[in-house]
Amino acid sequence: MLLFNLFVPLALVLLMPVLVHIISFHVFLQPAGIVPGAVFMVLELYLAWVYRKAYLPMLVARAQPGG
């Protein structure tokens, strides 16, 4: 989805738990291979920052159903 520029905010939300798991694994169990995971995490955070306006409707304290 990221490569074809389709549903990028959704793709970032789905990718974040995987990257958190990769980083956690390398921080706690095998620190030697953390570099690729850290690079992808930085790229993920950058894209999440660029698409931050797409996440604003999710962060409303009192959302109204249907719009």
Side-chain angles (χ1 to χ4, degrees):
M1 291 185 335
L2 287 174
L3 293 176
F4 295 115
N5 199 21
L6 298 171
F7 302 107
V8 173
L10 176 63
L12 294 174
V13 167
L14 295 174
L15 189 60
M16 183 56 84
V18 175
L19 287 173
V20 168
H21 179 74
I22 290 170
I23 293 295
S24 299
F25 172 80
H26 286 293
V27 165
F28 295 113
L29 295 176
Q30 190 178 15
I34 197 168
V35 175
V39 169
F40 282 117
M41 182 63 82
V42 168
L43 293 172
E44 164 88 16
L45 292 173
Y46 170 74
L47 285 174
W49 179 257
V50 170
Y51 285 95
R52 68 186 176 273
K53 292 187 185 203
Y55 300 112
L56 288 178
M58 284 193 316
L59 302 174
V60 175
R62 296 188 188 266
Q64 299 295 324

